[in-house]
Amino acid sequence: MTTSEGKCLNCGVPQGSVLGPRKYCLYSKPIGAICSRHNFLYHCYADDTLVYMAVIPKTTWSDVAKKLEACLADISTWMSANMLKLSEEKTELIIFNTKHQVRMNRELRLQVGNNTVSVASSVKNLGVYFDTSLTMERQVNAISKACY
């Protein structure tokens, strides 16, 4: 058996350590306060954060987009100030609606930093695919393919 040379850590925790996820959750807790300040709900799991809200039918996309862009800008600013980075290229936007509602305009855009995010037809969260009408069709196809 061989052991590696010891290293002094000035910040953070070693990758794969038991304390890593817990310390990250404590460290990034202010993201929740930012979301709440902008009247958004949020869900965090390790370094994945979902920001969401229920939109009443009379709300315009431009109103929602402005609020969401402002919230994401504040999150990005906080992250930069705390030695973290918002992965703008990994940011996704999905709008859920029923099959009976008029389909959302696919031309809707959201500006996140230097990236423009378009509405996705499905997104993957914690290994599960969600589509705009919550049919779970893509999830079932992915599981079927994996089983085959």
Side-chain angles (χ1 to χ4, degrees):
M1 178 159 72
T2 309
T3 55
S4 303
E5 179 182 322
K7 289 283 183 184
C8 178
L9 293 176
N10 296 326
C11 63
V13 294
Q15 184 174 355
S17 73
V18 174
L19 289 176
R22 181 164 287 171
K23 285 194 172 197
Y24 179 80
C25 288
L26 291 171
Y27 187 67
S28 63
K29 189 171 174 31
I31 292 173
I34 294 169
C35 293
S36 295
R37 191 171 58 245
H38 286 275
N39 296 316
F40 284 99
L41 299 170
Y42 66 96
H43 177 76
C44 297
Y45 183 81
D47 63 346
D48 283 341
T49 302
L50 300 173
V51 178
Y52 59 95
M53 72 179 295
V55 179
I56 57 173
K58 294 181 181 179
T59 307
T60 65
W61 171 250
S62 62
D63 292 340
V64 174
K66 285 177 193 174
K67 285 179 60 176
L68 191 51
E69 287 171 350
C71 181
L72 293 173
D74 285 354
I75 290 171
S76 183
T77 300
W78 179 87
M79 292 181 96
S80 293
N82 289 278
M83 297 183 287
L84 296 170
K85 181 184 179 294
L86 176 66
S87 296
E88 297 168 1
E89 63 281 354
K90 291 184 178 180
T91 301
E92 295 179 294
L93 171 66
I94 189 163
I95 300 171
F96 297 108
N97 55 23
T98 67
K99 290 181 189 179
H100 304 292
Q101 288 175 319
V102 176
R103 294 286 175 204
M104 292 301 296
N105 183 348
R106 295 283 173 220
E107 301 305 312
L108 299 177
R109 303 276 189 262
L110 185 67
Q111 193 65 38
V112 181
N114 295 325
N115 285 3
T116 301
V117 180
S118 301
V119 177
S121 58
S122 69
V123 296
K124 189 175 183 181
N125 180 43
L126 301 176
V128 178
Y129 287 101
F130 294 91
D131 60 73
T132 57
S133 342
L134 295 174
T135 64
M136 303 300 285
E137 184 176 333
R138 183 158 181 208
Q139 177 66 18
V140 171
N141 289 342
I143 291 173
S144 298
K145 183 178 177 183
C147 291
Y148 185 68

